[in-house]
Amino acid sequence: MWTKYEKIARELRERITNGTYPPGSTLPPIPELIATYGVARETVRNAISALANEGLITPKAGVGTIVRDTGVVTLHSKPTDPHPVWDSTAGTDSKTITIEANSEAANMEIAELLGVAIGDTVVKRLRHYYKGKDVVLLHEQWINGGVAGLILERTSYDCTDKTTKQPSDLYSLMREAGHIPSQTTEVVTTRMPDPEEKETMNMPPGIPVLVTLRVTRDGQQKALETSSFVACGDRAEQTYTVQIPT
Amino acid sequence: MWTKYEKIARELRERITNGTYPPGSTLPPIPELIATYGVARETVRNAISALANEGLITPKAGVGTIVRDTGVVTLHSKPTDPHPVWDSTAGTDSKTITIEANSEAANMEIAELLGVAIGDTVVKRLRHYYKGKDVVLLHEQWINGGVAGLILERTSYDCTDKTTKQPSDLYSLMREAGHIPSQTTEVVTTRMPDPEEKETMNMPPGIPVLVTLRVTRDGQQKALETSSFVACGDRAEQTYTVQIPT
DNA sequence: GAGTGGTCTAGACCACCAA
DNA sequence: TGGTGGTCTAGACCACTCT
């Protein structure tokens, strides 16, 4: 047997998916749903919470319960590029801001990923990718300290300079520094955002994040950099093209 | 200013992440939290719901509020294999069950993905991947009807036979049928599960699904099959190895 | 049977937003 | 200013699990 709030949630969900309540429209106000179903306020809110946690709706105080656009994908991230690239429809309202960029000592996890000793110098960079006014992707990156040093030496590009407006292509810089990035391994997972991520990316309830962990290596399997990408789940997708070995 | 339930949630979240309440343990019972914080029952439940929706805890009636294991990844899915493969620790408690396998007419979406006409015959297969007693991955697959026909003709393997216990490697069958799968394109996204997926995979609240859409093509860019993988977000990960073009 | 979380009620006050 | 959703209270009954 279904509980009351489950029945209400089922009915509203059905009307959202079949187009009775199209994206951008509002659900009936809570008082109306109370009258319709003859239940208490908290019961209606329970149903609404369930749908919000599925990512179907976003309640907004003073406005109403808004049906979300489904399948809104505005950011593509391609593994062959050192930074995610915006898709063709991204337009000009995209930008990248470097929040943090400095040298620090590698902790255990990073040391293992980069194949260096704990405490070795690495360059850590934290970037926010914007789509319009919203941050849609958090990029945390650690660059092998030796590689960063060679880049500075050979190209005068300082990886720890966060004021650079348009950062040069890191892979190109690595090539100029004599380390040719030849392969990445990426692990894609998903989870719910922590409160900090939720606030930074201004995420409504019910939206997970897509997490990608990347390690870039050169031809000698030396790790050049490692990155973690945390992307707003309803704004980003990862695309891969894979050759099948015969 | 924080609301009461947010303060409670923050405090509990902190104790979970710092190990005061380790994975597998239970949070203090609701009545105890009511006494501790001097609030109403629904306020405590609100805090608990928030943490449950972040995937941190799983309330179980009659038992308690259990702290979830974080980062439990038991299934690896490699794009170079026609089926996801279990990692080395998977053991023998893994299996695949074919729920559905039959010929049907391609709808618009599938026709477009496979590059066939709407209404053309395609083979649809639906499979459940088990880890232990739990379904952790739903695999929906559509095979180009012509390719499936050639496979039946050349190898006597019937793609619509769902009784096959250990289905042969589809890519090998395609090669024998003269269609050499040479490339896949995959798009990885994430979202919250719908109620059906949640029930099928016995998912607790707060766990998203990892969705992979794949198209396999031969050397002539002819689409051989397309698949959608819906994986329980806390049990699966996708790994990719990508060669970087110079 | 005792304790757990799950659901539900009937009120209340608040912050937010649009007209 | 009136309507929206957000939070909170103090009760109640239920299903479930363990001992």
Side-chain angles (χ1 to χ4, degrees):
Chain A
M1 184 48 186
W2 303 98
T3 61
K4 290 188 182 180
Y5 90 87
E6 277 174 330
K7 271 189 279 194
I8 298 171
R10 273 167 51 96
E11 198 160 318
L12 294 176
R13 189 186 295 111
E14 167 63 21
R15 292 187 190 161
I16 290 170
T17 53
N18 77 11
T20 306
Y21 303 135
S25 68
T26 58
L27 258 49
I30 290 178
E32 194 177 322
L33 293 173
I34 291 171
T36 304
Y37 293 101
V39 297
R41 196 169 190 276
E42 286 299 319
T43 304
V44 168
R45 291 216 64 246
N46 209 339
I48 288 177
S49 293
L51 298 180
N53 286 328
E54 290 171 25
L56 291 174
I57 58 179
T58 308
K60 271 204 166 65
V63 180
T65 308
I66 298 167
V67 179
R68 288 178 59 81
D69 255 318
T70 57
V72 178
V73 174
T74 58
L75 170 67
H76 290 243
S77 181
K78 288 188 184 175
T80 51
D81 294 286
H83 323 287
V85 291
W86 312 101
D87 69 9
S88 52
T89 64
T92 55
D93 59 344
S94 307
K95 61 179 174 184
T96 308
I97 289 185
T98 302
I99 303 295
E100 196 186 318
N102 43 53
S103 294
E104 55 181 50
N107 63 23
M108 198 183 73
E109 190 189 0
I110 298 305
E112 186 165 347
L113 284 168
L114 287 181
V116 300
I118 295 174
D120 277 8
T121 298
V122 293
V123 172
K124 179 187 176 184
R125 305 202 292 189
L126 174 60
R127 286 183 172 155
H128 288 183
Y129 288 71
Y130 282 79
K131 167 79 190 202
K133 293 177 301 182
D134 302 319
V135 181
V136 297
L137 178 69
L138 310 177
H139 179 195
E140 218 167 4
Q141 182 175 51
W142 293 265
I143 306 170
N144 185 301
V147 174
L150 278 172
I151 289 175
L152 179 58
E153 197 175 299
R154 305 260 180 103
T155 73
S156 302
Y157 177 84
D158 184 357
C159 292
T160 65
D161 178 9
K162 68 165 159 286
T163 63
T164 311
K165 282 188 180 176
Q166 192 63 29
S168 305
D169 175 13
L170 184 63
Y171 283 3
S172 298
L173 292 167
M174 286 175 170
R175 286 188 199 97
E176 290 185 51
H179 285 288
I180 301 173
S182 67
Q183 179 184 292
T184 70
T185 59
E186 314 208 357
V187 181
V188 186
T189 56
T190 182
R191 58 173 169 77
M192 294 310 283
D194 64 35
E196 193 186 327
E197 293 162 343
K198 203 169 165 180
E199 195 188 330
T200 304
M201 297 198 272
N202 192 29
M203 294 171 67
I207 303 298
V209 288
L210 193 64
V211 181
T212 305
L213 299 176
R214 179 182 75 185
V215 179
T216 306
R217 299 173 191 280
D218 66 10
Q220 285 75 49
Q221 293 297 305
K222 175 187 174 70
L224 304 178
E225 68 91 33
T226 183
S227 289
S228 86
F229 298 91
V230 177
C232 186
D234 65 339
R235 308 273 235 127
E237 65 183 21
Q238 289 272 2
T239 61
Y240 293 92
T241 304
V242 181
Q243 301 303 319
I244 302 171
T246 50
Chain B
M1 183 50 185
W2 303 97
T3 61
K4 289 189 182 180
Y5 89 87
E6 276 174 332
K7 271 190 280 194
I8 299 172
R10 272 168 53 95
E11 198 161 319
L12 294 176
R13 189 186 296 111
E14 166 64 20
R15 291 189 190 160
I16 290 170
T17 53
N18 77 12
T20 306
Y21 302 136
S25 68
T26 58
L27 258 47
I30 288 178
E32 195 177 321
L33 293 173
I34 292 171
T36 303
Y37 294 100
V39 296
R41 195 167 190 275
E42 286 299 319
T43 304
V44 168
R45 290 217 65 245
N46 209 339
I48 289 177
S49 292
L51 299 180
N53 287 328
E54 291 170 23
L56 290 175
I57 57 178
T58 309
K60 272 206 167 64
V63 180
T65 307
I66 299 166
V67 179
R68 290 179 57 81
D69 256 317
T70 57
V72 178
V73 174
T74 58
L75 169 68
H76 290 241
S77 181
K78 289 188 184 174
T80 50
D81 294 287
H83 323 286
V85 291
W86 312 100
D87 68 9
S88 53
T89 64
T92 55
D93 59 344
S94 307
K95 61 180 174 183
T96 308
I97 290 186
T98 302
I99 303 295
E100 196 186 318
N102 45 53
S103 294
E104 56 181 50
N107 64 23
M108 199 183 71
E109 189 189 359
I110 298 305
E112 187 165 344
L113 284 167
L114 287 180
V116 301
I118 295 174
D120 277 8
T121 298
V122 292
V123 172
K124 179 188 177 183
R125 306 202 291 189
L126 174 60
R127 285 182 172 157
H128 288 183
Y129 288 71
Y130 282 79
K131 166 80 189 202
K133 292 177 301 181
D134 302 320
V135 181
V136 297
L137 177 69
L138 311 176
H139 179 196
E140 217 167 5
Q141 182 176 51
W142 292 265
I143 306 170
N144 185 301
V147 174
L150 277 172
I151 288 174
L152 180 58
E153 198 175 297
R154 305 258 181 103
T155 72
S156 301
Y157 177 84
D158 184 357
C159 292
T160 65
D161 178 10
K162 69 165 158 282
T163 63
T164 312
K165 282 186 180 178
Q166 191 64 29
S168 305
D169 174 13
L170 184 62
Y171 284 2
S172 298
L173 291 167
M174 285 175 169
R175 287 188 197 98
E176 291 184 51
H179 285 286
I180 301 173
S182 66
Q183 180 184 292
T184 70
T185 60
E186 314 208 354
V187 181
V188 186
T189 57
T190 183
R191 59 173 169 76
M192 294 309 284
D194 64 35
E196 192 185 329
E197 292 162 345
K198 202 168 165 181
E199 195 188 331
T200 305
M201 298 198 271
N202 192 31
M203 293 172 69
I207 302 298
V209 288
L210 193 64
V211 181
T212 306
L213 299 176
R214 179 182 73 185
V215 179
T216 306
R217 299 173 191 278
D218 65 11
Q220 285 76 50
Q221 292 297 304
K222 176 188 174 70
L224 304 177
E225 68 91 35
T226 183
S227 290
S228 86
F229 298 91
V230 177
C232 187
D234 65 339
R235 307 275 235 130
E237 65 183 21
Q238 289 271 4
T239 61
Y240 293 92
T241 303
V242 181
Q243 301 304 318
I244 301 172
T246 50

